[in-house]
């Protein structure tokens, strides 16, 4: 078997330690900085064989391209034979539908079930297929210290966290999903790596002081040695799509990728994913998280954009959140001045900040979306995400403060709106369990720093230290696990049925999947807290207020779905909508 490693920082010697035996590597004459096993003395290594690399007589370190870390980020790597798994289901089921018809469901393996494993989560995929979602979006799976965490401090970008079940469990999960007609999207983190178990700097210039990020030195995308670093990230991304048959990737915080090269890493990645999709005949896609409100993120490469296939739309979330809760702190301030107007603007124009002044940033921000040329499904809309719940001091969901009626209104705006809709796990039944920030750092100093930093952060917003959950306390993770018993209880069962009904309507009515942003028409009354919009021959209305609302929705309409019982429109097209309620009408 051929072993190789990019280690330009090794001066004289690189040794492969394989199952306890040492093998000297030699420099690759064709590739600068690469070391390879001797062609005539290639060591034998089967699936599961343990190995690592020693540089210039130093300690044995895991492979930067490790496919498996059985003992965690600090342990030896293990060989993975990807051909050994016998796939049961074709992968076209997940990727073929494309984003225009998609309903996403964000899921964290460690808290979706009490067991916190891929196999345990796979056992509940039938519930999601019944709900009507099309793609399960998994939060990061790369190895991180300890057992439980969010996954954004991962290392070994080609491997699967062992407590979740390792590589075989991920294949079983994807295989099960595809058998149910579900696609799988994986959240990957390229903008930083975790501090614990990160041995990349010993091998080469994976990071650079040319740029700085909230996590320290930036991943090296444009300084000396960056060709190999970009290839490392790109090939790891393709490995998830190829070896595990993942259908799409969500790219974490792409605005934090410091990259001054003419051809950006994101353009390279989108081109490579498109090429793999054509080669395999699958509808692969990339979804970006971006704070820039820049439509160039999803503009096709041939039109001068980055060519990513979709991006999260936090502006829609912020507008909806302020309209539902009345909160106005931090980045909600701009949206809270006229929240229904903010919701209306984002529904039709995508970004609230499209060249407007952002008080939170202290400057103008964003750029307008060309509504006539940009399909609506290039933007993902949601009422809740792991970020927007977990980065609150107590990890409280909307269900902690809103009535079932307002939760139903939120679901209506997300699932009948123009964007690709996404739910966060448990949202469909109004789960009451919080989703809090938790870690399991094995380094006591790092654990203390995270705990104290979290408390300092929220102390600045008036929270007492004792009211901020300790991320290292196992009870914090336990509180965050879903309680499935709620699904059959009131009012959760009713909310679950409402989500099913709305998703079924989205699948049944092409108007709800129409990509034409310019066709979206919105009317609202800020004082009365009501809003209505048009999607082809459908009319959707929500009443967030505490009094019944008379709304002109068109003559001859028939009710397709209503949270509270309503009569059809009167002769003049006026419908009386109960307080904290929503309705979907077909007219014409």
């Amino acid at each position: 078997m051929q072993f190789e490693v990019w280690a330009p920082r090794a001066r004289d010697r690189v040794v492969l330690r394989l199952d306890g035996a040492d093998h000297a590597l030699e420099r690759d004459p064709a590739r600068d900085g690469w070391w390879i096993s001797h062609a005539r003395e290639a060591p034998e290594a089967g699936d599961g064989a343990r190995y690592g690399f020693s540089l210039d007589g130093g300690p044995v370190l895991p492979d930067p391209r490790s496919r498996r870390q059985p003992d965690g980020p600090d342990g030896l790597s293990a060989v993975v034979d990807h051909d050994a798994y016998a796939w049961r289901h074709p992968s076209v089921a997940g990727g073929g539908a494309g984003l225009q018809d998609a309903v996403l469901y964000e899921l964290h393996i460690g808290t979706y079930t009490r067991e916190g494993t891929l196999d345990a989560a796979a056992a509940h995929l039938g519930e999601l297929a019944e709900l009507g979602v099309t793609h399960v979006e998994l939060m990061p799976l790369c190895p991180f210290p300890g057992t439980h965490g969010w996954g954004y401090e991962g290392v070994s970008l080609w491997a699967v966290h062992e407590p979740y079940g390792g590589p075989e469990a991920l294949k079983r999960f994807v295989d099960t999903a595809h058998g149910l007609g579900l696609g799988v999207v994986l959240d990957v983190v390229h903008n930083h790596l975790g501090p614990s178990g990160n041995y990349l700097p010993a091998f080469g210039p994976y990071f650079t002081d040319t740029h700085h990020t909230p996590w320290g030195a930036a991943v090296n995308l444009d300084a000396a040695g960056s060709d190999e670093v970009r290839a490392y990230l790109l090939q790891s991304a393709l490995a998830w799509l190829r070896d595990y048959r993942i259908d799409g990737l969500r790219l974490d915080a792409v605005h934090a990728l410091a990259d001054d090269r003419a051809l950006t890493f994101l353009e390279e990645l989108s081109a490579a994913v498109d090429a793999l999709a054509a080669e395999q005949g699958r509808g692969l896609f990339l979804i970006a998280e971006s704070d820039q409100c820049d439509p160039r993120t999803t503009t096709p490469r041939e039109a001068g954009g980055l060519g990513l296939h979709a991006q999260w739309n936090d502006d829609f979330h912020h507008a909806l959140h302020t309209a539902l809760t009345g909160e106005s702190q931090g980045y909600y301030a701009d949206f809270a001045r006229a929240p229904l107007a903010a919701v209306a603007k984002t529904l039709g124009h995508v970004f609230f900040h499209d060249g407007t002044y952002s008080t939170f940033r202290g400057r103008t921000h964003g750029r307008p979306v060309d509504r006539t040329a940009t399909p609506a499904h290039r933007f993902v809309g949601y009422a809740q995400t792991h970020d927007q719940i977990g980065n609150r001091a107590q990890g409280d969901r909307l269900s902690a403060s809103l009535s079932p009626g307002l939760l139903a209104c939120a679901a209506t705006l997300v699932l009948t709106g123009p964007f690709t809709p996404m739910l966060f796990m448990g949202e469909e039944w109004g789960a009451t369990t919080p989703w809090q920030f938790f870690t399991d750092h094995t380094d006591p100093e790092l654990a203390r720093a995270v705990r104290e930093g979290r408390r300092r952060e929220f102390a600045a917003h008036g929270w007492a230290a004792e009211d901020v959950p300790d991320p290292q306390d196992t009870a914090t993770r336990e509180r965050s696990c879903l309680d499935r018993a709620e699904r059959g209880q009131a009012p959760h069962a009713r909310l679950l049925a409402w989500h099913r009904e709305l998703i079924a309507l989205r699948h049944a009515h092409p108007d709800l999947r129409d990509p034409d942003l310019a066709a979206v028409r919105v009317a609202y009354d800020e004082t009365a807290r009501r809003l209505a919009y048009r999607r082809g021959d459908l009319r959707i209305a929500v009443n967030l207020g505490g009094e019944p609302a008379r709304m002109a929705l068109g003559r001859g309409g028939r009710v397709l779905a209503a949270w509270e019982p309503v009569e059809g429109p009167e002769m003049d097209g006026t419908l009386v909508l109960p307080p904290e309620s929503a309705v979907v009408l077909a007219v014409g």
Side-chain angles (χ1 to χ4, degrees):
M1 178 178 179
Q2 181 77 61
F3 283 86
E4 60 180 16
V5 63
W6 184 60
R9 286 184 173 160
R11 297 184 301 275
D12 303 310
R13 187 161 56 107
V14 175
V15 172
L16 163 71
R17 179 164 297 170
L18 174 63
D19 286 340
D22 287 350
H23 306 266
L25 301 188
E26 57 186 22
R27 294 183 187 273
D28 185 345
R31 295 179 298 168
D32 187 45
W34 282 87
W35 298 72
I36 57 176
S37 54
H38 197 286
R40 294 184 300 277
E41 301 173 7
E44 294 295 327
D47 187 76
R50 304 291 185 92
Y51 72 99
F53 298 105
S54 169
L55 313 183
D56 297 320
V60 179
L61 304 176
D63 183 359
R65 286 170 168 75
S66 170
R67 270 63 169 182
R68 187 180 177 195
Q69 290 296 118
D71 302 312
D74 295 304
L76 289 177
S77 301
V79 173
V80 173
D81 179 5
H82 282 298
D83 293 331
Y85 183 82
W87 291 91
R88 296 172 294 126
H89 303 289
S91 56
V92 293
L99 285 169
Q100 183 170 344
D101 301 316
V103 177
L104 306 177
Y105 187 94
E106 190 184 21
L107 184 158
H108 176 259
I109 289 297
T111 50
Y112 189 60
T113 65
R114 290 279 171 187
E115 298 90 336
T117 66
L118 284 153
D119 285 334
H124 293 281
L125 286 175
E127 299 168 5
L128 301 184
E130 181 187 8
L131 178 63
V133 303
T134 63
H135 294 74
V136 179
E137 182 173 308
L138 299 177
M139 289 176 60
L141 298 179
C142 292
F144 54 86
T147 301
H148 296 296
W150 279 21
Y152 291 93
E153 297 295 328
V155 296
S156 296
L157 298 188
W158 305 56
V160 179
H161 189 51
E162 203 69 19
Y164 287 167
E168 288 287 301
L170 177 56
K171 290 175 183 176
R172 290 192 295 269
F173 181 95
V174 174
D175 212 1
T176 301
H178 286 166
L180 292 166
L182 297 170
V184 180
V185 182
L186 179 63
D187 195 339
V188 296
V189 184
H190 292 150
N191 51 57
H192 74 290
L193 283 87
S196 184
N198 182 2
Y199 299 103
L200 294 181
F203 288 88
Y206 282 89
F207 302 91
T208 174
D209 290 329
T210 304
H211 309 284
H212 288 271
T213 74
W215 307 282
V219 173
N220 181 15
L221 297 177
D222 57 9
S226 59
D227 285 357
E228 291 290 356
V229 178
R230 289 159 76 110
Y232 169 79
L233 297 175
L234 190 151
Q235 291 165 16
S236 72
L238 295 181
W240 295 115
L241 302 172
R242 183 184 57 247
D243 298 334
Y244 293 95
R245 301 192 179 184
I246 299 289
D247 301 291
L249 302 176
R250 183 260 191 188
L251 309 177
D252 182 65
V254 299
H255 54 267
L257 293 171
D259 184 1
D260 288 338
R261 286 168 63 159
L263 178 62
T264 67
F265 166 71
L266 290 175
E267 291 173 82
E268 276 195 88
L269 178 60
S270 69
V273 169
D274 286 348
L276 181 63
E279 174 190 324
Q280 297 192 342
R282 293 204 288 147
L284 306 176
F285 53 81
L286 298 170
I287 302 174
E289 179 197 19
S290 176
D291 185 47
Q292 294 178 321
C293 292
D294 187 352
R296 288 176 294 191
T297 302
T298 57
T299 298
R301 295 185 305 279
E302 57 270 21
L306 300 181
L308 305 183
H309 306 92
Q311 68 179 93
W312 280 22
N313 185 3
D314 272 351
D315 277 18
F316 172 71
H317 167 273
H318 299 345
L320 179 54
H321 187 91
T322 56
L324 292 166
T325 67
E327 292 183 12
S328 59
Q329 73 277 14
Y331 49 66
Y332 291 134
D334 292 336
F335 303 85
R337 291 172 180 166
L340 269 295
V343 172
K345 180 177 180 179
T346 56
L347 281 172
H349 294 79
V350 183
F351 298 139
F352 178 81
H353 287 302
D354 54 5
T356 60
Y357 187 80
S358 166
T359 59
F360 177 72
R361 299 174 178 87
R363 58 172 175 80
T364 55
H365 185 70
R367 184 186 187 100
V369 170
D370 182 350
R371 298 194 302 153
T372 64
T374 308
H377 58 259
R378 288 195 180 276
F379 305 95
V380 179
Y382 38 83
Q384 302 182 75
T385 70
H386 77 274
D387 267 333
Q388 302 302 337
I389 300 171
N391 284 326
R392 296 169 68 84
Q394 295 188 328
D396 49 311
R397 297 169 178 261
L398 288 176
S399 57
S401 57
L402 299 184
S403 68
L406 288 178
L407 295 176
C409 290
T412 304
L413 289 163
V414 169
L415 292 169
T416 68
F419 311 125
T420 297
M422 184 178 74
L423 305 174
F424 181 68
M425 61 178 196
E427 179 181 350
E428 70 271 27
W429 73 78
T432 60
T433 49
W435 202 75
Q436 299 175 334
F437 179 70
F438 52 90
T439 56
D440 192 16
H441 290 299
T442 52
D443 180 343
E445 283 304 305
L446 183 56
R448 180 186 59 78
V450 169
R451 180 186 299 115
E452 293 178 358
R454 186 80 174 170
R455 288 174 173 168
R456 277 197 307 271
E457 176 186 355
F458 287 104
H461 298 286
W463 289 86
E466 60 271 18
D467 293 333
V468 179
D470 179 358
Q472 286 286 121
D473 187 345
T474 57
T476 305
R477 179 261 170 180
E478 290 295 320
R479 282 191 297 270
S480 301
C481 292
L482 289 175
D483 177 7
R484 279 197 161 66
E486 292 182 332
R487 290 166 51 89
Q489 303 167 358
H492 307 289
R494 185 183 174 198
L495 275 167
L496 180 57
W498 180 243
H499 280 79
R500 285 197 191 106
E501 187 173 9
L502 291 175
I503 293 173
L505 282 177
R506 187 175 188 91
H507 291 320
H509 291 271
D511 284 344
L512 293 179
R513 306 190 305 278
D514 182 0
D516 186 0
L517 282 166
V520 179
R521 297 286 186 271
V522 188
Y524 64 94
D525 185 322
E526 197 77 60
T527 302
R529 288 176 50 74
R530 62 183 186 234
L531 179 145
Y533 52 97
R534 176 174 133 187
R535 305 292 314 280
D537 290 333
L538 302 186
R539 305 291 183 270
I540 298 95
V542 296
N543 179 9
L544 306 182
E547 300 294 331
R550 293 183 61 83
M551 307 180 73
L553 297 179
R555 296 178 182 175
R558 58 188 177 89
V559 176
L560 297 179
W563 173 250
E564 297 287 359
V566 296
E567 299 293 333
E570 299 171 359
M571 292 295 293
D572 63 355
T574 300
L575 181 142
V576 179
L577 188 59
E580 298 185 354
S581 186
V583 66
V584 181
L585 293 176
V587 299

